[in-house]
Amino acid sequence: MRLGVLDIGSNTGHLLVVDAYRGAAPMPASSYKEPLRLAEHLEKDGTVNEAGVEALTEFVGHALELAEDKGCEEVFSFATSAVRDAGNSDEVLAHVRDRTGVELKVLPGEAEARLTFLAVRRWFGWSSGRLAVFDIGGGSLEVAGGDDESPDVAWSLPLGAGRLTREHFADGPPRDEALRRLRRQIRTEIAHDAGTLLRRGAPDHAVATSKTFRSLARICGAPPSSDGLLVRRILPAAALDEWIPKLLAMSHAEIAGLPGISANRAHQVVAGALVASAVLDIFDLEELEICPWALREGVILDRLDQLSAFG
């Protein structure tokens, strides 16, 4: 069957169309995305501004038309951190529904972490043993760990690359004491619940998903996307720590010129790198392996599991 997943993230709106069958990997048939940057369309009171709401509504309407053109039997539409945490979340959802007819489901942070974990487990399989999964989005960081397809622990933190950029990088990268305070804030928030994942020991396999982690891995020497999904990609802690001072000294244009960095995300790379470095350090990891599947694939797999349960 052909399914569509409409993912409204804090950075990007993404429609993924796949051909999905029970017992088989979802095969991408079409993809459409736009850099909505909702995390940066937030006012001081936490509401999404008019420009952000209009951009979101226009994208959803166009994505729905494309899904219909591609013959999708179902389209699963959801929003993550930027809409979830917005002070006017209900108004934003109502505006999209009234203009497009699409009911966006707001995923709680824990659900986001659990669905991403499911995708990673299916990609790497049971041979990975106990998994730890980390996902840096535009608005939040998701963490999950466990031995099964459903994680034992899963939580979400307001440490997305877009959010931190908006809050701390408006006038360029923080320097000296301000950078130290930000670094301490990030690490304190991650460490607060780290013991819930670590109390059963170190994970057998530590994995990262999302564009932010993929971009950082590429900067640190991972193979390009043109080499295909099956090539192993690693983000080493030592290489990332060497790159952070360099990134702090670079302009957005210089960062955009690095391999694997898109121009519309270059300004968020430093914030993302600080979070990634904290994850590696606090969970005492030498490296993270990059998984090409993440939340969207988790949503599709979960839906296929539901269909299988009903025969």
Side-chain angles (χ1 to χ4, degrees):
M1 63 189 305
R2 179 157 286 193
L3 302 175
V5 178
L6 180 55
D7 173 5
I8 305 302
S10 299
N11 282 318
T12 305
H14 192 165
L15 170 69
L16 177 64
V17 177
V18 301
D19 291 319
Y21 304 93
R22 300 175 194 176
M27 296 297 294
S30 180
S31 177
Y32 164 63
K33 55 186 175 181
E34 290 289 343
L36 299 177
R37 291 190 182 179
L38 291 181
E40 297 173 35
H41 279 292
L42 296 178
E43 301 289 356
K44 291 182 179 180
D45 62 358
T47 60
V48 181
N49 62 29
E50 184 177 349
V53 175
E54 287 300 323
L56 168 60
T57 304
E58 182 177 347
F59 172 80
V60 170
H62 188 43
L64 181 62
E65 292 177 3
L66 289 175
E68 292 172 351
D69 290 344
K70 295 298 181 181
C72 290
E73 297 179 38
E74 294 183 75
V75 178
F76 305 99
S77 306
F78 62 89
T80 56
S81 177
V83 176
R84 179 171 69 230
D85 298 337
N88 59 341
S89 178
D90 290 342
E91 290 84 351
V92 172
L93 296 172
H95 188 275
V96 171
R97 181 183 63 246
D98 293 344
R99 289 268 297 273
T100 68
V102 174
E103 290 272 3
L104 284 176
K105 177 182 179 182
V106 177
L107 281 184
E110 181 179 334
E112 193 176 338
R114 289 182 177 278
L115 289 166
T116 301
F117 184 91
L118 171 63
V120 173
R121 172 61 77 188
R122 293 284 177 86
W123 180 267
F124 286 115
W126 297 111
S127 62
S128 285
R130 182 167 178 79
L131 271 175
V133 177
F134 306 93
D135 185 338
I136 301 173
S140 59
L141 164 70
E142 273 67 50
V143 182
D147 300 288
D148 301 321
E149 288 204 329
S150 181
D152 302 329
V153 294
W155 71 96
S156 179
L157 296 168
L159 296 175
R163 183 195 298 267
L164 293 176
T165 297
R166 176 173 55 84
E167 293 176 350
H168 299 279
F169 291 74
D171 300 318
R175 300 294 180 184
D176 302 328
E177 185 57 32
L179 179 62
R180 184 179 178 182
R181 287 196 302 270
L182 174 58
R183 184 178 182 275
R184 183 167 60 242
Q185 172 196 329
I186 292 169
R187 288 167 180 256
T188 299
E189 291 194 41
I190 295 173
H192 185 271
D193 292 314
T196 62
L197 188 150
L198 294 173
R199 64 166 46 101
R200 293 187 58 182
D204 299 306
H205 194 179
V207 177
T209 72
S210 81
K211 178 66 173 177
T212 295
F213 274 120
R214 290 198 304 272
S215 297
L216 292 172
R218 182 74 181 97
I219 290 173
C220 292
S225 58
S226 59
D227 283 5
L229 295 180
L230 301 182
V231 174
R232 191 168 186 260
R233 294 175 174 86
I234 296 297
L235 175 61
L240 179 61
D241 286 343
E242 288 181 5
W243 263 102
I244 287 177
K246 301 176 189 177
L247 293 171
L248 284 165
M250 297 172 74
S251 67
H252 292 165
E254 289 171 327
I255 293 175
L258 294 173
I261 305 297
S262 57
N264 65 298
R265 286 179 181 259
H267 64 301
Q268 298 182 9
V269 168
V270 176
L274 293 174
V275 176
S277 175
V279 165
L280 285 155
D281 199 8
I282 288 168
F283 290 95
D284 196 23
L285 302 169
E286 293 184 1
E287 63 183 27
L288 288 163
E289 183 165 3
I290 307 302
C291 180
W293 280 4
L295 177 59
R296 285 181 291 275
E297 288 79 10
V299 170
I300 293 166
L301 293 166
D302 184 61
R303 177 56 178 162
L304 289 176
D305 287 350
Q306 293 174 29
L307 292 174
S308 296
F310 290 99

